[in-house]
Amino acid sequence: MSDERRDVAERLREYPFELTRSCHTDPLKWVGDVMYDLMDIAGVCEDFDSLFGALADLIDPTCHMCPAHAGGFGCDRCFTWFPDTETKPSFCPSCGARVVTGDE
Ligand SMILES: [Zn+2]
């Protein structure tokens, strides 16, 4: 598991729900603030449209293995080249991301 995934998981587990809830009288405003905190934890700043994709990438990181001109394959996530690899692997041997094709 990457450091980023571990850090996000730790921040989610330690999120102070009771503390943040006690600061609000309007439950909808509290939920809104929790969403902003979640966007911060997921690293998307205030880009709500990117939140679900960022969470999906943390849960199930994916990559593409692209055939290299010099032979083998290259990972487009960690940019590692595997010159002796003849068949596309199911997972990147370097970063561990699941190899997908197209826009999966
Ligand atoms: Zn990789």
Side-chain angles (χ1 to χ4, degrees):
M1 180 183 282
S2 70
D3 288 343
E4 179 189 15
R5 292 172 66 190
R6 193 171 295 117
D7 291 345
V8 169
E10 185 176 323
R11 290 181 70 190
L12 291 172
R13 290 185 180 107
E14 294 177 353
Y15 188 78
F17 280 102
E18 292 306 319
L19 176 64
T20 59
R21 187 182 351 239
S22 67
C23 297
H24 292 82
T25 54
D26 180 349
L28 290 179
K29 194 163 180 153
W30 172 65
V31 169
D33 283 352
V34 169
M35 289 302 293
Y36 277 104
D37 289 342
L38 181 57
M39 289 188 287
D40 179 56
I41 291 169
V44 298
C45 299
E46 295 187 1
D47 182 7
F48 182 75
D49 293 353
S50 297
L51 176 60
F52 284 29
L55 293 175
D57 283 346
L58 288 167
I59 294 167
D60 178 29
T62 59
C63 69
H64 296 90
M65 280 290 168
C66 307
H69 293 292
F73 289 89
C75 174
D76 69 350
R77 185 178 186 92
C78 68
F79 305 109
T80 303
W81 175 42
F82 306 97
D84 299 326
T85 300
E86 295 181 10
T87 58
K88 192 182 294 188
S90 299
F91 293 88
C92 174
S94 179
C95 68
R98 184 170 56 90
V99 175
V100 295
T101 56
D103 290 335
E104 281 184 77

